[in-house]
Amino acid sequence: MPYPSPPRVPPGPRRRSLLASVAGGALLVGCSDGTGSGEEGTAGSPAVVERVRVQAARDSRGLVGRYDAVLAAHPTLAERVGPLRAEAVRHVEAFGESVAASSSPSASGSASPSPSATAPATEKDALAQLAAAERALADRRAKALLEVPGELARLLASVAAAGAAHAYLLTEGAR
């Protein structure tokens, strides 16, 4: 009697491993005392903290612009992409700034104009582009954790984890 074939396991990280790595990263960040090194101009100094915060808000605004461009070009993706865009808007606000005057998906003026603000012609390519942008931004934020202490580091870790989850949702839903 032949053995049944094993169930098909989809490629990529599993939900449990993604959540475990995020939780582990958050625990490591939570272990710092938030004081930094105490030297001016080094990691943890007020100037570095402010620079990282402003850059994080700017990056999130740019991501909102990408979502706006995709939604303008592919309105049928609104149900799938809209909630992720709303999270990106909340990330801008969490970093102490706001999205431009209107936060509607059609207001693409919230991000600085760039070639990446135009959406690809197909929905599949648009989702892949958004996923790549989320993944790259999550990676940059994870690296920035080393430069800042305390609450900002925890916020960066949380937003980086959310970005990684967004990238996963954008790519896995396309399969």
Side-chain angles (χ1 to χ4, degrees):
M1 173 176 194
Y3 290 104
S5 61
R8 183 183 176 289
V9 179
R14 307 294 177 266
R15 213 175 299 170
R16 284 185 188 157
S17 61
L18 182 65
L19 292 174
S21 64
V22 168
L27 287 175
L28 288 175
V29 170
C31 292
S32 72
D33 65 359
T35 59
S37 64
E39 297 176 30
E40 287 301 313
T42 62
S45 73
V48 171
V49 169
E50 182 61 12
R51 178 185 53 77
V52 170
R53 184 197 63 75
V54 168
Q55 184 63 48
R58 184 180 306 130
D59 289 344
S60 289
R61 269 196 314 273
L63 196 55
V64 170
R66 285 176 181 257
Y67 277 110
D68 289 344
V70 167
L71 288 169
H74 306 287
T76 57
L77 291 174
E79 185 176 319
R80 181 169 178 193
V81 173
L84 301 178
R85 181 203 179 273
E87 286 295 313
V89 169
R90 283 192 280 281
H91 296 162
V92 174
E93 294 165 352
F95 289 115
E97 298 194 15
S98 65
V99 178
S102 172
S103 63
S104 69
S106 62
S108 60
S110 60
S112 56
S114 69
S116 61
T118 58
T122 67
E123 288 182 357
K124 184 178 179 181
D125 290 343
L127 292 173
Q129 184 186 66
L130 283 174
E134 286 275 15
R135 197 173 299 109
L137 185 53
D139 290 346
R140 284 197 313 271
R141 286 180 170 156
K143 289 177 186 169
L145 288 173
L146 301 174
E147 298 181 37
V148 294
E151 287 305 310
L152 183 56
R154 286 185 272 284
L155 179 59
L156 279 170
S158 176
V159 174
H166 292 178
Y168 176 80
L169 292 171
L170 288 164
T171 55
E172 288 303 307
R175 292 182 187 197

